[in-house]
Amino acid sequence: MSAHCQLTGSKPGFGNAISHSHRRTSRRFDPNVQRKRYWLPSEGRHVRLTLSARAIKTIDVNGIEAAVARIRARGGKV
């Protein structure tokens, strides 16, 4: 699964893992991405979205219709 949120657009960040001896190796900081299924009443169907935990909380506040409109405005496919 791609570590990319459809709503917020958050992607992995990159940095270094620093050991006790202070050697640096590359690492990835992935967002907390989940696959979630929502009922979309306006279209009479379910949609499955890849969302970060923060985006799930945003949908709880603003609603799925506003979230889908925002995803489509960004050029995403739902």
Side-chain angles (χ1 to χ4, degrees):
M1 176 186 351
S2 161
H4 180 268
C5 177
Q6 288 180 290
L7 182 61
T8 62
S10 63
K11 299 177 189 172
F14 295 89
N16 290 313
I18 302 178
S19 70
H20 179 70
S21 63
H22 218 64
R23 290 178 62 98
R24 293 179 167 100
T25 54
S26 293
R27 62 158 295 180
R28 238 168 91 127
F29 295 92
D30 286 331
N32 184 6
V33 173
Q34 313 290 326
R35 296 236 333 140
K36 192 123 166 77
R37 188 171 167 240
Y38 288 99
W39 173 252
L40 196 57
S42 63
E43 298 181 16
R45 67 184 182 104
H46 285 95
V47 291
R48 190 175 298 274
L49 301 173
T50 305
L51 302 168
S52 63
R54 185 172 136 221
I56 292 171
K57 293 173 190 173
T58 302
I59 290 176
D60 289 343
V61 172
N62 297 337
I64 186 64
E65 296 290 343
V68 167
R70 191 166 146 195
I71 291 170
R72 288 182 173 148
R74 293 179 75 232
K77 184 182 171 199
V78 176

